[in-house]
Amino acid sequence: MISVGGYELDSEQVHAATSEHKNILVVAGAGSGKTTTIVGRIKYLINEKNINSNEILCISFTNASVDSLKDKIVEEIGTNIDVYTFHRLSLNILKDNNLNYKLCIPDLLEYLIDEYFNVLILNDIDMMYIVLKHYHIFTLKIDVIKKYKKILKSANFSKLKKLIAKFIRLMKTNGYNISEFARFYNHKIKTKNFYLLKIILIIYQLYQSELESNGEIDFDDMIIKATNVVKEIGIKNKYKYIIIDEFQDSSLVRFNLIKSIIEKTNASLFVVGDDFQSIYKFAGCNLNIMLDFEKNFDDTEILKISNTYRNSQELVDIAGSFVMKNKKQIRKNLKSNKHLKNPVRIIKYKNYIDDFKKLIEEIGNKKILILGRNNRDIYDLIDNDYIIDKNGNVLYKPKNIAMKYMTVHKSKGLEEDVVIVINLKDDIMGFPSKLEDNKILEIVSPKIDKYPYSEERRLFYVAITRTKSIVYLYVPYANKSIFVDEIKKIVNISKVSRKK
């Protein structure tokens, strides 16, 4: 048996940790011990297979998760291994080859977009005219500057700037470059988006020129340049085993880097991911990379770890039924030894602020995590009876009840005693969000599935599985979220089934 943190791995975790296949995908459920399985795998390789610690590369997606994983490995095995984010790995590869780049500031692209529209474009009547044509404004050239400056102050213009930044970032993280623009134009000629693409091209060139003139790169360039180095020269560290956490969050440029390292080292690949928790398509993450694992690698084994140690069986049944309405999701039957009657509780309110106070007073002194769809959702809910700091720590002063607020996106990987999900309204900014991406982003976005609200559905799954006991859905009597109606039906069906 293998133990981690004083606990023995279950049979599925042991199977995954000790598999002898060259390339292994471990499909995990929420709260099923993904990190424990990874540490168990590393422990097995070092203690049982006598693999040197410097022959193992482990990749996680955030600095916090990297630090946490490093600590667990040292605590469990007493040795350090290479645990990096993709960006740190890329930076190391470049430095090993005496390629020293400076990272640009994170919001350089947004800064340049502002500078272009507010300053640089004012010397280019033709480009201002193209911007006006994007908005279906056709005018004499003598009036172009006047009408352009009027548009510059509109709310729609702010949306345009965000759209351009998102297009360029998705373009880069999905491996597109300037040579692709001719193909983009062919699809969009003589349409509204033809003018938008001309604007994007100018700003993309300005951005790349600014990076190059300052000897800087952004995060995506760093990975792309590192990949090219590996393909042309190789990699200093001759890794035999590569382990990746949160594999459902892979983007194309990240995947290409790993493929290039494997081609040079012939390393074995071990990845852990949960397709139910793929919620970063907007940032270029491509779920198809996980779903197509067998197509991308030879000698594969796909395993599942299905015992959840966080949620009750009743909750995982409800959450699983909800998310698997989308047939593209991998079928899973999660199991738990914990049982709890009515783990999902729908709390209807008439007065949004006052009824919430009653709810948290009823919950009492348990640790509470409040989850919203948007950053500012909490501010619609609290009044002078609360104190909230910049980190989302909330104090309800009359009863001295401490809580934490965050968006569902930020909560992934976390858990709490009790969870309350707010903003469950049928609204554009509700949950599910009905904000639709501009169609032009489809050119540079991965094609995953067209199931209604597919990513919002996975996001809701993440929200309700953060709890170690009960999740409260805080909903209005009228105009409630369509997800709440679905959950009610699932709960009623499960009650009928248990009675039978």
Side-chain angles (χ1 to χ4, degrees), residues 60 177 209 217 232 250 253 261 371 376 385 448 491 494:
S60 196
N177 55 45
S209 175
I217 53 176
E232 293 169 14
S250 298
V253 292
I261 294 173
L371 296 178
R376 296 201 58 80
D385 284 336
I448 298 177
V491 170
S494 64

Side-chain angles (χ1 to χ4, degrees), residues 1-10 13-14 17-18 32-45 47 68-78 309:
M1 296 297 290
I2 301 173
S3 65
V4 172
Y7 294 94
E8 288 188 350
L9 271 62
D10 64 39
Q13 292 172 325
V14 170
T18 61
S32 61
K34 294 187 284 290
T35 303
T36 299
T37 305
I38 287 171
V39 176
R41 174 71 172 175
I42 295 166
K43 192 173 184 179
Y44 171 76
L45 292 175
N47 293 347
S68 175
L69 191 51
K70 278 183 178 178
D71 291 342
K72 286 183 172 71
I73 292 167
V74 171
E75 184 181 327
E76 200 62 38
I77 309 169
Y309 300 94

Side-chain angles (χ1 to χ4, degrees), residues 351-500:
N351 185 299
Y352 194 43
I353 295 174
D354 292 344
D355 289 349
F356 189 76
K357 293 176 182 177
K358 293 175 187 175
L359 172 59
I360 58 176
E361 287 176 10
E362 286 174 13
I363 294 172
N365 292 321
K366 294 179 181 176
K367 291 183 178 178
I368 301 171
L369 175 62
I370 306 167
L371 296 178
R373 177 61 184 81
N374 312 295
N375 281 315
R376 296 201 58 80
D377 286 351
I378 189 68
Y379 294 99
D380 294 330
L381 192 61
I382 61 176
D383 58 15
N384 292 330
D385 284 336
Y386 299 86
I387 297 173
I388 181 169
D389 67 20
K390 63 181 181 181
N391 297 315
N393 297 304
V394 184
L395 178 67
Y396 178 52
K397 293 184 290 185
K399 298 292 182 180
N400 198 33
I401 297 174
M403 300 163 282
K404 179 80 174 175
Y405 174 75
M406 62 181 66
T407 64
V408 184
H409 280 103
K410 290 177 182 173
S411 76
K412 192 159 84 69
L414 304 178
E415 60 183 28
E416 196 50 272
D417 292 343
V418 173
V419 169
I420 305 173
V421 185
I422 62 173
N423 192 16
L424 289 168
K425 298 178 290 187
D426 185 18
D427 186 73
I428 288 178
M429 297 295 290
F431 197 177
S433 169
K434 295 185 176 181
L435 283 175
E436 291 189 6
D437 281 333
N438 189 295
K439 293 290 184 184
I440 199 170
L441 294 177
E442 293 178 1
I443 302 174
V444 289
S445 296
K447 309 292 188 296
I448 298 177
D449 63 72
K450 293 188 177 180
Y451 193 84
Y453 301 115
S454 59
E455 184 128 341
E456 292 290 307
R457 181 173 294 273
R458 292 190 290 268
L459 193 62
F460 189 75
Y461 172 86
V462 169
I464 63 178
T465 55
R466 297 309 92 198
T467 183
K468 292 191 277 187
S469 60
I470 296 168
V471 56
Y472 294 92
L473 307 182
Y474 190 59
V475 305
Y477 272 94
N479 203 39
K480 60 182 175 292
S481 163
I482 56 173
F483 284 172
V484 175
D485 285 332
E486 282 193 39
I487 289 291
K488 282 178 69 176
K489 289 175 184 175
I490 292 168
V491 170
N492 289 333
I493 290 169
S494 64
K495 283 181 179 177
V496 169
S497 298
R498 281 197 291 271
K499 285 178 182 177
K500 287 181 179 178

Side-chain angles (χ1 to χ4, degrees), residues 301-315:
E301 183 175 30
I302 296 182
L303 302 171
K304 294 180 182 179
I305 51 175
S306 55
N307 292 312
T308 176
Y309 300 94
R310 178 192 303 147
N311 309 129
S312 65
Q313 184 65 55
E314 290 76 9
L315 189 136

